[in-house]
Every structure is written in structure tokens, then in C-alpha cells.
Amino acid sequence: MSASSAARPLAPMDLSDPGPPRGTVPTVASWRTDAREWTLDGDWSFRWFPGADDADPHPTDVDPTWGVMPVPASFVMPHLDAVHDKPHGRPVYTNKWYPFPVDPPHAPDRNPVGEYRRRFGVDDVPAGAELRFGGIEGAADVWLNGVLLGSTRGSRLPMAFDVSGLLAAENVVVVRVHHFSAATYLEDQDAWWAPGIVRSVIVRERPAGGVHDVRVAADWSASGAVFRVDAQTRDGAAARAEIVELAADIPVGTPTPVPRAAAWSAEHPVLYTLRVWTDTESVTMRIGFRTIDIVDGVFRVNGAPIQLRGVNRHEHHPRWGRHVPAATVREELLLMKRHNVNAIRTSHYPPDPLMLDLADELGFWVMDECDFETHGFGEVGWRGNPTDDPMWEAALRDRAARMVERDKNHPCIVMFSLGNEAGEGRNLAAMAEEIRVRRPGVPLHYEGDQASADVDVWSRMYAHPDEVELIGRRAEPPLTDAALDARRRAMPLALCEYAHAMGTGPGGLTEYQELFDAHPRIMGGFVWEWLEHGIHVATADGVVTRYGGDFGEPLHDGNDIIDGLIAADRTPRAQLADLAAVFAPVRIDVGDDAVWIHSRRDHTDTSDLAWRWRLDGPGGHIDEGALAVPAVGPRGRVSVALPEGMRTASSREAVLTIEAVTAADAPWAERGHVVARAARTPVHDLGALTRAQRRPAAPAASLGDLVLDARTGAVTALGGVAVADWRLVLDRVPTDNDRHAGWDELTDPPAAERWRQLQLHDLHTRLVALERSAGAVVVRTRHTGPSTDAHVDVVWSWTERAGGLALALDVAPGGTWPDWTSHWARVGVGFSLAGAAPSVSWAGRGPGPAYPDTGQAATAGWFTRSLEGLQERTVRPQESGARAARWVRLEGDPGLEIGLRSGDDAVSEPAVTVRPWSEAALRRAAHDDELVADGRTHVVCDLVRSGVGTARCGPGVLPAYRLPARRVSGELIFWPDVPASGSQREGSVG
């Protein structure tokens, strides 16, 4: 036994000990080495115990009766035991609640254990070696060949043990993972509690005289690059260094000009290979030259202001839990690049180092966040919060140090964050000191202290656009402390979280981006969040997605975990396309005779982009070509005149679309990938153009083809098209945002509650009158929910027009409506048709959905989708999938065409929602897999609609997109497929 192993602790660390890990060696930078490594990833023997008392007190060997658990993975994930397929605990989801009593620093008695054991062989046993864990979720005790190495703390941080003198040709490693410990109080992030060995495990040779650690400073300015490398070696061995691609020898410990080096930025991520070696070991890492500063409240890199168009990224996989395979990580970051994301906040812990390697390579601005959150203490008034308790200082300093030491050499990291939602306290200053000593020059972030005493960047979470504008204009309310106020006014503002991407939404992305563009002090922000954390569960009917509460957890936060721009399997949601449009690196505005282009880039011009135009009409594609656009410099603007022929054609009957595309293959996309798009619609209505194109010889419908229920005035048939469930629609199946009050409108109930109180889902209809006159049928109805006198009077006026049946709708509120800023979700007409429409075509905006404050990716044109292709599947069913439309055709036998027009004072464009299931089925379903097509086509035609907002976190629907109870008018025209003769039908009213 070596001297180091002889000094090891004799017992595992007490689970209620608030201190840092025991027995580990100091964290060093990530690199590649030519020293030998043995991976221990793969199948381990595994057994789950209800508590530590049930486990073997002296683990030494592999028990053949145990199951098999893959490493890395979270062991509580369903169906991971490859041998026995038996449960081993369960994933638990809470947003902020601790799933045990808040009794710091004590761990709960109900504390299950997962125990891993593995045999492994080592050829030519090295004299020096380390056993390295990338991350262990939970608190772990580690043994090698029966010797306790120590105890880990800090679930998403690296840990290494010196095993010199303990390795043999055949070895047994044992890892005992406890769900909870004192350290759990520091890890109350908004994610699944999913313990296990969640990152890679290796044994690494540590040769005598080898490299111990490497620290670089790679600065860049207009006068050139300056580089310094410091190397710590074992036994004081001499070290040398070179930048391989530049064939430049770099003296260790001395700042050295590197005249041929180019700058690194997220837009142009130039990397070089640094090699550091001694006589016994050579290590390599990728470096980039960049310098950060803050000048007059503006955050700059390499002397230029930058804008963060970012996302918050958790690490989650629907099968493996906290472990994300390397191929999936690359897929994620490529997907981000293709959707114009340029920044990542590593919420709320340092990521797997692979992600930072890829961010260096592909180009992202990264906020590296410490593994620290105590959100649950907020539920008890922050009493006993570790952030302000000296007992926890050592552990918090250790977490900050391990983050910085591992990640210190990555050029992508432009900010370190002290953590998230951990309140205020003295330990923030201790953490900040720890980071500044180890990595000076990288600004610090922490949102929880609004005085910003210990940070360099002011941060806000879900701030209303009005507040953001005030800060951008430097007109924010002052702090009480004048010195702190002056210090904060000299800081840039970052929105560490905004625009909660849960379910249908988020609304208001454009309003935020306009503020980012307008005010240099606003450095942008990070949308919450990148990824839904759904868990896949195999059933007899296939794999389904589950969320909080679906695993029997007594305390949980439901589907709050389903809040991403992409699904857990990395399928993009509709909102990702909208975000890409808002985040586009160039903004395109198409006028009558010119195109205006505004670059949002910070460091590079647009010479890597090609520009193309396309003309489309109701009959399809008309023409296309290239557009000559000069290179636009960073944050520059240019206008380009449109050729006369293009102007004339687009003004008459075609939609003109301008696109910016990659001119050549990029590391993240092929040539021709669209990075920005804008369209100009013709003067004429798209729907009118479509009807003129498609129906020149169609038989006209007459009032004789209109069949009404004489008792209610509801439509039962339009020509040969049978109609059911005809109704006025004022509400919608609540979105996730609808179920919460916006942070700016807490005096009103959440939208879903408003609609429930008004009983808009259960409107009772009274026929007031049914009047006939020459060439017209007028139906008057009153619609009222139970237990209220707030009602709506509707006049349905039917006439013959343009070969179809025109319905002029006049909707007027009456009675007493509550004093709210918004009452209705929509004003529309709902109905269903027999049979499932094989496809739906529309003229308007598409191809994706659009609500008044979303749909930025939906541009003008003509589109066709299958009925299934129109559905925007949310894990928890809700309102979704509406298409902005002026005309729609529902294919079928017979088919139906509809024209839509809103009143002149409408707050939104008209829209159509088409589904293969009823609204009642949508309301009943708790999971997407519960929705089953019923063989009918269910339609809602909206004259006006409310926005969707981002009220789950942040502002509700912004005032411009709200729909209070007020008079609404509009028109629908129906063209049913009717027989050429067209005849009066039994029961019709005409």
C-alpha cells in the first residue's frame, strides 16, 4: 500500500457532513494525453437497496446474483437493468421543493442506495494512476480492491482518486451511491432527481515526471495575440510547449506574442492545438484567442460588443437520465447552430466536458454555471439557507474551484455563474473570490442578488419587456445604496432566463429581440429552456413519454419538466423554428421596391452568405433567382433595389420571398441552409387569389344548400357536406401558459381560471330569432355560461356571395363582465365534418403554426399538409397547431373550402385549427398518447385570437395581443362541393 493510500479515511463520509468531498485529488484541466487510459464505461453489476443499512458493509467482490446497470446512466430510469428488468427506485421530479424535510444539514432516513461493482484488468500495472469520475449524481463512497478511497460530493463535477499502489492486474471497484446527503441541499435544480454514475469513468496512468496541470491565457487585441502557458509537472520535471498549427514554440511561464494567430469568436471559432510535454508525457488541448472586457456597461469580446441569442441547456436523455451520449450532444449543438442559437447557459451546473469541446469547435458563447441551487429554502423564507451559513463555505468554495479548474482553458466560456436561485448570503462573495483568483478576467454572473455586489454582469430572470427597456435606457429605479447603484449602472444586463418555452408558446420573442437590437447595454439572454425532460417508458402499445407524477411520486411538479424548444428525443418543436427566425443573424425587410438587410453579427461580415429570391402564386412556383447583396459588416445595414420585373410580379399576384443561405458547406450545415427568410405579400388577398385560381368552373352554392337546425339555428349541412357540433367558440383548451398568472398581471386570475369562471367551455345557447328575407337568412343567438349573466349576443347573417355561402358574424358582449384585462381566448366558429380529411390546404402564413405573438417562422404563401402533419403534439395535450389563414380547403368526399376575413379593428389575423379529435377529447387527455383519431375532422375558424404569452414564467399576454370582451365582427365564406344542379334540401332554411 502506498503512503497516499495509507492516509485514506477509515470510514465513509457522514451523509450529514456539509463539507466538500473526502479523499479526492485536486481538479485539473481537461486534455488528451498519450499516457495510458482504461475506460470503465459499460455494464456494471448493480443492486438497489431501500437504505444504507441494507447494503453489504464490506463490499469487496462482484455478486453474480445482482443485476446489470449501464454506466454512465441514472439508475432510477425505467428498464435499465438489462438482466432482471426490475425497479431500482424511481425518478422524482420537483421544480423547487426538496423531496424530504428541510432540515439542514441532515440527510433523510428514507435514503435509498444504488451499489455498483465491476471487475477490470490492467496490463503492465503503472506505478502511478488515478481513478477518475466525470460525475456521480448523489453522494458516493468508492472502494478499490477493498480499500476505501473516499467519498464524493458535487454531482455534476469531476472527482479523482489517487490509486497509486492499489492497482493490480485484476481489480474490483465498488461505488455506493446514496440518493441524498447534506450536499443535496446544494443541488435543488429544476430537474429529475435521478442518481447514478452519470458521466464516464476511467483509470488514467500518472507517470513520474508527467504533466499535472496546464493553465493558459490566450489574449487577442487589434495589435495581435499574446499567449502564456503555465504547466505544473510531477516531481518538478521540465515542460515544453508548442502551438502545433503555427509551428510556434512557446516558452512556459512567459507571455509570448503570436503574430500569426487569428481571433476566436462564436461566429468564427478559430482553434489551435496546444501541446505540452515532458520526457514522460504529452498532453494536447484546443485553444482560442479572445479577450473579454466591459466598457460603459457594454459586454465586449475582442473589442466588439456581443449579443447573446441563447438557450438554457440541461443534461437529460429520455432513456439514460442524466447521461447524454456523445453523439446526442453533438446532435444538440448542431441543431442549435442550424437554428441561429449562439449562446448556451449550462443550467444549472457545469456540463460534460464534451459539450464545452464542441462549443469551442462550433462556436458558442457559454455561461458556465456552478453546481449550486438552494431553491427549496425559498419555500421556508430562506431560513437556514446554505448561501448565508459559514458551515457551507468550504463546500461552496470547493464547487466553484472544481468548475473553474476543469474548464479554465475553454475559449467559449465568457462568463462563470455562481449558481442559480440560491438566495443571498456571505458565501457568494467567497465563491466569487475563489473564481477570480483562479481565472481572472472572466466576468461573473449570479441572478439571485439584485444588488449585484459580487458579480460583473447584472442579471434578470423573466423581466417584462417594459423593465428591460428601462434598463436599456439606463432609467431603472435606483438602489438604496448609492455606491452599489453606481456599480450596477456600469454593468451590462443579461436575461439569464426569459420566454418560457413550455407547451404552446412562448409568446413575445420578437418584443425581446427588438430590445436586444436597440440597446447595447442589453447583451441578450437565454430562453428557458432548450430541452423537454420527458422520460420514455415502454408499453404494450409502444414507447410513451411521461412527466412528473407519472412514477408515483408523492410530491412532484407535474409537467413543468416538459418545457423545451425540442422534445426529449431531440425532435424540434414548432417554437424552435420561431426562435430561429427571431434569432436570425441578419434581419430582412422586404419593401415595395427594395430589400433592407440589417446584420446582427458582432465580428464577421456576411460574405459567407448567398441571397436568393422566389416568387410563388396560388398555382405554385413562378420564378426564382439569385440576389446580389454586398457584404454587410458587423451590425451594419444595406439596402438593395428590387429588379422591376420582380416588383411588378410580386405586387400583383405573387408572394416574394427573400432568403439568406450558407454559400458553402459549414461545419454545422450544408451549402444552401436557410439562416434568414422574409416575404412580402401582394396587394390582393391571398384567399381571393386562391379562389380565382382554383374555382373558375365550380358550381355555385346557394342558400338552398344551407341546412339549419330550426330549434337552434346551428348549421347541420352545407350542400353535400354534413356538419355537426356547430358552435360559437370563445375559449381554448388551456395551454401551459394559460394555467398561470403572468408576473405582470397577478391581480387577475390565470387565463384558464378566467375562462372557467365564465364557463366559456360550457356556453348555453338560446335561439333569439331566425329571420328570412329575400336573399338572406339571419340567426340571432345568445350564449351564456352557467351561473353568470355575462353573455354574448351573436348575429349570424347568411347571404350568397362569390359562388359560396357568406356568413357575416357580429359578436357583442352583454351583461356584467369582470374587470379583467382579457376575457376571451378567441372569437371563432367550431364544427366537425364526417370523415377524416386526407389533407388540408391553406393560403396565409405557414408552414408552421402561428398565434398573434408567435409564428415568426410562418411566412406568407400557399401550403398543404396531411391532417396528422398539422398536429403540433405536446406531451400534455393543449391548444396548439393553429394556422394563420385567409382561405382553407378541407379535402374529402365531399370537400369544403372556407374564406376568412376579420374585422378592420381585429387584434390578430384569422386562423384555422383542424384536428382529428374533438376538443372534449383534448381536454380529457393528460398525455399525448391518449389522443386517438375518432374518424372525423374537427375545425375551428377564428376571426380573432388572443396571444399565448409566457405566463408560466414571466409576462402574460402582452397588451397588444389581449382579447377583452368587446364587439367583434368578421366574415366566413363557405364553398361546399355541391352537385352541379344544387337543390333545396329537406330541413333547410332559405
Side-chain angles (χ1 to χ4, degrees):
M1 183 179 294
S2 69
S4 61
S5 60
R8 299 182 195 282
L10 299 178
M13 185 176 173
D14 190 289
L15 291 175
S16 294
D17 187 330
R22 303 273 179 83
T24 56
V25 298
T27 301
V28 297
S30 299
W31 59 56
R32 293 178 175 85
T33 176
D34 65 356
R36 292 180 295 164
E37 292 182 343
W38 295 266
T39 180
L40 301 188
D41 289 358
D43 288 341
W44 290 48
S45 294
F46 179 82
R47 184 177 175 185
W48 182 81
F49 301 96
D53 293 342
D54 303 297
D56 182 353
H58 302 291
T60 58
D61 206 346
V62 175
D63 189 327
T65 66
W66 286 15
V68 175
M69 179 62 59
V71 169
S74 295
F75 62 72
V76 295
M77 298 296 284
H79 312 299
L80 281 190
D81 188 324
V83 173
H84 298 106
D85 193 26
K86 61 184 179 182
H88 25 76
R90 62 187 173 195
V92 174
Y93 168 61
T94 60
N95 173 8
K96 54 190 176 182
W97 317 99
Y98 289 104
F100 51 77
V102 181
D103 185 22
H106 304 289
D109 288 341
R110 299 179 189 173
N111 196 358
V113 171
E115 188 157 296
Y116 298 79
R117 301 185 186 186
R118 170 153 182 176
R119 288 184 179 275
F120 68 96
V122 174
D123 297 330
D124 188 15
V125 177
E130 290 177 353
L131 174 60
R132 305 181 65 83
F133 295 87
I136 301 178
E137 180 96 357
D141 305 313
V142 183
W143 289 262
L144 179 65
N145 297 331
V147 176
L148 177 66
L149 302 179
S151 300
T152 73
R153 299 293 187 269
S155 294
R156 275 77 62 175
L157 290 162
M159 294 148 283
F161 298 95
D162 181 6
V163 295
S164 303
L166 290 179
L167 277 181
E170 295 293 329
N171 304 275
V172 175
V173 62
V174 176
V175 180
R176 179 173 293 164
V177 180
H178 306 266
H179 277 228
F180 307 118
S181 69
T184 308
Y185 288 105
L186 307 181
E187 298 175 5
D188 188 24
Q189 289 100 343
D190 178 7
W192 293 97
W193 301 93
I197 303 175
V198 296
R199 293 182 183 162
S200 289
V201 185
I202 62 170
V203 174
R204 174 182 289 175
E205 180 182 19
R206 295 286 73 224
V211 178
H212 174 65
D213 197 10
V214 175
R215 184 182 305 270
V216 306
D219 297 323
W220 191 92
S221 68
S223 59
V226 177
F227 186 67
R228 173 172 175 154
V229 57
D230 291 284
Q232 291 179 283
T233 61
R234 295 173 179 271
D235 310 313
R240 298 177 61 190
E242 66 170 342
I243 299 176
V244 175
E245 291 83 359
L246 301 177
D249 291 331
I250 304 294
V252 175
T254 303
T256 305
V258 187
R260 290 183 293 136
W264 184 98
S265 72
E267 295 167 4
H268 189 54
V270 179
L271 292 176
Y272 300 96
T273 303
L274 172 66
R275 177 175 173 251
V276 178
W277 74 96
T278 68
D279 290 342
T280 60
E281 185 182 19
S282 175
V283 304
T284 59
M285 64 185 66
R286 303 283 274 165
I287 61 165
F289 290 88
R290 60 104 181 94
T291 297
I292 306 166
D293 62 8
I294 295 172
V295 177
D296 192 27
V298 177
F299 195 106
R300 309 192 312 173
V301 178
N302 300 335
I306 69 168
Q307 186 183 104
L308 306 176
R309 297 185 288 275
V311 295
N312 283 271
R313 177 186 178 269
H314 264 295
E315 291 184 328
H316 173 79
H317 190 275
R319 176 170 172 79
W320 309 113
R322 285 289 197 174
H323 167 60
V324 184
T328 305
V329 178
R330 177 174 283 275
E331 175 190 345
E332 282 186 82
L333 268 65
L334 289 174
L335 197 59
M336 290 182 191
K337 290 291 288 190
R338 292 175 192 136
H339 287 83
N340 299 327
V341 173
N342 75 354
I344 302 170
R345 179 188 182 208
T346 69
S347 52
H348 299 293
Y349 40 80
D352 189 299
L354 169 67
M355 179 248 142
L356 297 176
D357 290 340
L358 288 171
D360 290 340
E361 172 192 329
L362 297 172
F364 289 92
W365 309 119
V366 173
M367 179 193 289
D368 195 8
E369 192 151 84
C370 194
D371 191 5
F372 176 42
E373 180 171 338
T374 63
H375 201 164
F377 282 88
E379 303 307 302
V380 296
W382 297 106
R383 293 183 298 276
N385 185 14
T387 306
D388 197 38
D389 188 336
M391 175 173 61
W392 301 87
E393 180 180 338
L396 291 173
R397 281 184 176 271
D398 171 77
R399 287 171 182 249
R402 285 153 69 193
M403 171 183 68
V404 173
E405 292 299 338
R406 190 198 71 172
D407 299 341
K408 55 182 175 271
N409 297 327
H410 285 281
C412 66
I413 295 174
V414 294
M415 280 184 281
F416 285 114
S417 176
L418 304 181
N420 181 67
E421 294 177 318
E424 303 177 41
R426 69 194 78 187
N427 291 330
L428 295 174
M431 296 174 73
E433 177 187 58
E434 197 74 35
I435 294 173
R436 288 191 171 109
V437 167
R438 296 171 183 275
R439 200 63 173 118
V442 178
L444 300 188
H445 163 276
Y446 176 70
E447 184 271 341
D449 179 8
Q450 283 300 296
S452 304
D454 300 306
V455 296
D456 306 295
V457 172
W458 183 15
S459 179
R460 288 287 287 115
M461 189 179 286
Y462 304 107
H464 192 282
D466 292 347
E467 180 187 355
V468 176
E469 182 180 20
L470 280 177
I471 296 170
R473 293 193 288 106
R474 302 176 189 263
E476 69 270 20
L479 295 170
T480 303
D481 186 307
L484 285 176
D485 183 68
R487 184 174 184 275
R488 196 179 72 175
R489 286 181 188 275
M491 293 180 181
L493 177 80
L495 299 182
C496 66
E497 296 177 22
Y498 78 104
H500 199 273
M502 185 177 181
T504 299
L509 287 171
T510 297
E511 283 72 14
Y512 282 108
Q513 185 60 46
E514 288 174 347
L515 291 170
F516 300 165
D517 291 344
H519 301 288
R521 187 188 184 191
I522 312 301
M523 61 183 298
F526 305 89
V527 168
W528 186 269
E529 68 171 302
W530 171 243
L531 174 73
E532 296 176 353
H533 303 214
I535 291 180
H536 285 178
V537 176
T539 71
D541 298 321
V543 175
V544 298
T545 302
R546 293 295 178 256
Y547 48 74
D550 288 336
F551 300 96
E553 314 100 294
L555 179 68
H556 63 84
D557 280 298
N559 73 317
D560 277 5
I561 201 70
I562 307 295
D563 56 357
L565 295 159
I566 63 174
D569 65 0
R570 276 59 183 178
T571 300
R573 298 298 192 191
Q575 51 261 52
L576 182 60
D578 288 346
L579 188 74
V582 173
F583 276 3
V586 290
R587 175 175 171 174
I588 306 170
D589 294 299
V590 187
D592 291 338
D593 53 10
V595 176
W596 286 266
I597 295 165
H598 170 209
S599 174
R600 289 193 177 105
R601 288 181 169 176
D602 302 318
H603 291 95
T604 60
D605 64 24
T606 61
S607 57
D608 61 317
L609 300 179
W611 303 81
R612 63 193 188 195
W613 59 270
R614 187 180 73 247
L615 284 172
D616 296 286
H621 180 63
I622 298 173
D623 199 3
E624 63 183 29
L627 185 68
V629 176
V632 185
R635 302 200 179 189
R637 299 172 186 265
V638 70
S639 64
V640 178
L642 292 175
E644 178 61 31
M646 191 188 307
R647 277 185 271 172
T648 303
S650 65
S651 67
R652 291 178 178 171
E653 61 179 10
V655 170
L656 170 63
T657 301
I658 307 291
E659 294 177 332
V661 303
T662 52
D665 288 347
W668 45 271
E670 295 181 349
R671 178 177 178 271
H673 171 77
V674 178
V675 299
R677 176 187 290 119
R680 192 190 74 183
T681 58
V683 174
H684 302 294
D685 178 77
L686 296 186
L689 289 173
T690 304
R691 293 191 293 274
Q693 173 83 17
R694 295 185 59 124
R695 298 190 58 84
S702 69
L703 287 177
D705 296 299
L706 172 67
V707 184
L708 304 180
D709 186 318
R711 298 168 303 158
T712 65
V715 176
T716 60
L718 293 163
V721 181
V723 175
D725 195 26
W726 180 272
R727 67 199 187 281
L728 176 73
V729 184
L730 299 178
D731 77 332
R732 62 189 177 214
V733 177
T735 68
D736 290 305
N737 287 309
D738 291 336
R739 297 175 187 275
H740 298 269
W743 293 12
D744 59 329
E745 51 180 0
L746 294 177
T747 56
D748 288 352
E753 176 61 17
R754 297 175 219 165
W755 305 332
R756 189 200 64 78
Q757 289 184 22
L758 294 168
Q759 298 290 300
L760 297 185
H761 66 287
D762 186 26
L763 291 177
H764 292 219
T765 301
R766 178 168 62 86
L767 178 62
V768 177
L770 196 161
E771 304 163 351
R772 307 169 196 163
S773 62
V777 175
V778 178
V779 180
R780 301 178 188 276
T781 55
R782 173 166 289 187
H783 307 262
T784 316
S787 74
T788 178
D789 67 346
H791 60 263
V792 174
D793 290 325
V794 183
V795 180
W796 315 69
S797 300
W798 292 94
T799 57
E800 298 174 5
R801 176 123 52 84
L805 295 168
L807 170 61
L809 211 64
D810 185 84
V811 179
T816 303
W817 290 82
D819 185 19
W820 297 333
T821 59
S822 181
H823 300 91
W824 300 336
R826 62 190 353 145
V827 176
V829 176
F831 56 91
S832 71
L833 307 177
S839 66
V840 178
S841 300
W842 75 99
R845 292 198 295 125
Y851 291 83
D853 51 358
T854 74
Q856 294 88 343
T859 52
W862 291 264
F863 309 92
T864 298
R865 288 290 184 273
S866 68
L867 184 56
E868 176 59 30
L870 283 175
Q871 308 315 305
E872 300 296 330
R873 309 299 288 263
T874 54
V875 176
R876 178 177 179 172
Q878 57 195 272
E879 164 67 30
S880 64
R883 264 57 178 190
R886 300 284 180 174
W887 167 91
V888 63
R889 176 166 177 82
L890 307 168
E891 299 295 346
D893 186 18
L896 178 66
E897 293 185 34
I898 310 169
L900 304 93
R901 185 184 66 80
S902 300
D904 294 337
D905 61 345
V907 298
S908 67
E909 60 201 322
V912 174
T913 307
V914 188
R915 299 190 181 102
W917 40 72
S918 68
E919 181 180 291
L922 196 65
R923 287 185 186 277
R924 289 193 302 267
H927 301 88
D928 178 60
D929 55 279
E930 298 167 19
L931 288 173
V932 179
D934 61 13
R936 298 185 64 83
T937 301
H938 301 268
V939 184
V940 177
C941 297
D942 289 326
L943 300 178
V944 293
R945 301 172 293 157
S946 165
V948 294
T950 180
R952 175 56 192 90
C953 283
V957 177
L958 297 178
Y961 308 117
R962 293 174 184 170
L963 190 56
R966 63 174 182 79
R967 190 163 193 162
V968 170
S969 63
E971 185 176 64
L972 304 175
I973 304 180
F974 297 88
W975 293 275
D977 291 349
V978 298
S981 59
S983 61
Q984 185 91 353
R985 286 166 174 77
E986 183 179 354
S988 67
V989 176

